[in-house]
């Protein structure tokens, strides 16, 4: 029988692994194996929210045969309810008698008799679920629930730390690449084209577009696109819909579902283009907004605050590149005028 000392010692083992800076996958594997061994389970699986695809995907698992993992994933998705957040866990003491559990027949054939699930929380948001599969029907006690919850918390810490490290590396690479582009060329269209490609790859976006205001006519014009049909971007510009107006007013607009958002000009057009989420960020030159940077995603996508902040920073860099080009052209023209004046004055002598 597992004692409180066993719980404490095993939890300390996972905590030490986390402190040793082990790789994310190693920590995830340690969590599911510790859950299975300590709680005498048939197996365990850590499901994490996938922002690139709908639903949750297995990040680590043991004791669940590959042919039954899909059923386990479906069952995990069915557990993502308000009850999981409100109560802090969901316990199914007999999978064959719980008709609310999806794929219970398949799980029963896999030798799974009971299920205990606890949420993986990151910054008070549901980011996944840790599921213990028991080989026979059983009632889970408070100690077992508390232990699995503590393991899930460790998984949330590992997940968040890995995300932060990934973001730091990605952002550092983007800053470097953009700085190189700005230093290598004064052609702002070339710089913006490189920016759209880099941002698209870094954020797994379906496409990126840069729209700039003409200083004379104040007309919005596409100057760089990547991965998105230019016809769609032209339609966006002509429509001047609410999201465009909001962005030109200096507001960052997150269109969570373009096919259903009331502010877009033609939801059906985005649906046809398989565009789900759009992030629209103002490009500033000084205090004035002189353009828009838009990222398009093929899946419903959420954004962390630091991601929006970083994309906004790159939009500002785009504005700086435009401003530098304008200053250079102005200086170049002034220099040319000065040379012309000098030659004119020399002709007097």
């Amino acid at each position: 029988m597992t004692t409180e000392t066993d719980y404490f010692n095993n939890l300390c083992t996972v905590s030490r692994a986390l402190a040793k800076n082990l790789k994310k996958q190693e920590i995830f594997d340690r969590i599911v194996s510790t859950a299975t061994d300590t709680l005498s389970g048939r197996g365990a699986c850590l499901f994490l929210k996938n922002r690139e695809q709908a639903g949750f995907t297995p990040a680590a698992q043991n004791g669940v045969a590959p042919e039954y993992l899909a059923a386990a994933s479906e069952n995990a998705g069915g557990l993502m309810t308000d009850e999981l957040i409100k109560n802090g866990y969901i316990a199914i003491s007999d999978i064959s008698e719980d008709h609310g559990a999806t794929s219970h027949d398949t799980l029963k054939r896999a030798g799974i008799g009971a299920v205990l699930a606890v949420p993986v929380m990151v910054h008070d948001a549901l980011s996944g679920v840790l599921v213990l599969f028991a080989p026979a029907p059983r009632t889970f006690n408070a100690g077992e629930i508390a232990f699995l919850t503590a393991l899930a918390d460790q998984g949330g810490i590992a997940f968040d730390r890995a995300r932060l490290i990934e973001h730091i590396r990605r952002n550092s690479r983007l800053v470097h690449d953009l700085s190189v582009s700005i230093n290598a060329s004064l052609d702002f269209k070339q710089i913006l084209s490189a920016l759209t490609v880099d941002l698209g790859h870094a954020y797994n976006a379906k496409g990126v577009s840069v729209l700039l205001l003409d200083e004379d006519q104040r007309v919005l014009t596409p100057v760089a696109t990547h991965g998105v049909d230019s016809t769609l971007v032209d339609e966006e510009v002509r429509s001047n819909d609410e999201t465009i107006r909001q962005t030109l007013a200096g507001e960052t607009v997150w269109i969570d579902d373009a096919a259903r958002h009331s502010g877009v000009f033609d939801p059906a057009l985005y649906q046809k283009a398989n565009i789900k989420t759009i992030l629209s960020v103002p490009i500033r030159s000084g205090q004035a907004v002189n353009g828009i940077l838009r990222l398009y995603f093929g899946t419903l996508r959420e954004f962390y605050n630091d991601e929006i902040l970083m994309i906004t920073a790159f939009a500002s860099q785009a504005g700086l590149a435009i401003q530098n080009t304008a200053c250079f052209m102005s200086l170049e023209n002034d220099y040319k005028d000065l040379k012309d004046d000098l030659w004119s004055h020399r002709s007097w002598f």
Side-chain angles (χ1 to χ4, degrees):
M1 180 178 179
T2 306
T3 66
E4 290 186 4
T5 302
D6 294 327
Y7 290 149
F8 177 77
N9 290 337
N10 291 336
L11 188 59
C12 286
T13 300
V14 175
S15 297
R16 283 194 295 269
L18 188 59
K20 285 181 181 177
N21 261 335
L22 292 180
K23 293 181 179 179
K24 174 181 66 174
Q25 192 58 53
E26 293 176 352
I27 295 172
F28 289 165
D29 291 339
R30 184 77 59 90
I31 287 171
V32 296
S33 63
T34 300
T36 301
D37 295 342
T38 306
L39 299 178
S40 302
R42 170 73 171 78
C45 193
L46 175 64
F47 298 92
L48 292 177
K49 196 170 188 179
N50 190 331
R51 295 191 304 150
E52 308 303 330
Q53 303 173 6
F56 293 75
T57 55
Q61 63 87 24
N62 71 349
V64 182
E67 59 267 28
Y68 296 111
L69 192 56
S73 299
E74 184 181 349
N75 197 59
L79 295 171
M80 303 296 174
T81 63
D82 293 338
E83 181 184 353
L84 185 66
I85 302 296
K86 182 180 178 180
N87 297 335
Y89 71 94
I90 290 179
I92 302 173
S93 59
D94 189 343
I95 199 74
S96 64
E97 294 182 359
D98 191 283
H99 299 292
T102 58
S103 304
H104 59 272
D105 290 337
T106 305
L107 295 177
K108 185 179 178 182
R109 289 196 301 272
I112 296 170
V115 172
L116 174 63
V118 296
V120 176
M121 306 296 292
V122 177
H123 302 301
D124 297 326
L126 179 63
S127 296
V129 59
L130 177 59
V131 184
L132 176 74
F133 301 102
R138 63 188 271 194
T139 300
F140 298 96
N141 61 45
E144 292 171 326
I145 295 170
F147 178 73
L148 196 65
T149 300
L151 285 178
D153 290 341
Q154 298 295 311
I157 294 171
F159 174 72
D160 193 44
R161 187 180 69 179
R163 180 190 69 82
L164 289 173
I165 292 173
E166 178 187 344
H167 283 196
I168 290 171
R169 289 173 177 169
R170 179 190 62 196
N171 294 342
S172 298
R173 184 174 63 253
L174 282 172
V175 169
H176 172 268
D177 292 347
L178 182 59
S179 299
V180 169
S181 296
I182 291 176
N183 288 329
S185 174
L186 284 169
D187 184 344
F188 76 90
K189 287 189 177 181
Q190 180 179 337
I191 294 171
L192 296 181
S193 294
L195 174 65
T196 60
V197 174
D198 290 344
L199 281 178
H201 291 163
Y203 288 93
N204 293 322
K206 181 180 179 67
V208 183
S209 69
V210 176
L211 319 172
L212 295 181
L213 282 171
D214 179 272
E215 289 189 3
D216 298 327
Q217 302 179 7
R218 303 299 290 174
V219 174
L220 201 60
T221 305
V223 295
T225 60
H226 170 71
V228 63
D229 193 337
S230 59
T231 303
L232 184 144
V233 178
D234 290 338
E235 289 287 344
E236 285 184 316
V237 170
R238 281 194 293 269
S239 72
N240 192 29
D241 67 18
E242 183 182 343
T243 68
I244 297 286
R245 293 193 296 272
Q246 286 178 299
T247 311
L248 288 177
E251 181 180 345
T252 295
V253 182
W254 169 29
I255 304 165
D256 55 349
D257 189 349
R260 300 176 183 275
H261 197 280
S262 60
V264 301
F265 70 102
D266 188 356
L269 189 62
Y270 291 114
Q271 190 171 15
K272 182 179 179 180
N274 195 30
I275 292 174
K276 304 289 187 182
T277 299
I278 303 172
L279 186 66
S280 188
V281 180
I283 297 175
R284 299 178 185 274
S285 181
Q287 296 299 317
V289 175
N290 60 359
I292 298 175
L293 171 66
R294 286 168 80 88
L295 278 72
Y296 311 83
F297 298 87
T299 58
L300 297 178
R301 172 72 183 267
E302 297 178 0
F303 297 93
Y304 296 107
N305 290 334
D306 58 342
E307 287 182 312
I308 293 179
L309 183 63
M310 198 65 196
I311 293 171
T312 302
F314 282 111
S316 297
Q317 289 296 310
L320 180 62
I322 296 167
Q323 193 172 21
N324 287 345
T325 301
C327 289
F328 175 78
M329 292 176 64
S330 177
L331 288 172
E332 195 175 45
N333 290 334
D334 289 345
Y335 178 66
K336 182 178 181 301
D337 291 342
L338 180 60
K339 285 179 64 177
D340 291 343
D341 287 344
L342 285 173
W343 281 109
S344 176
H345 288 126
R346 286 180 181 179
S347 66
W348 297 349
F349 301 98

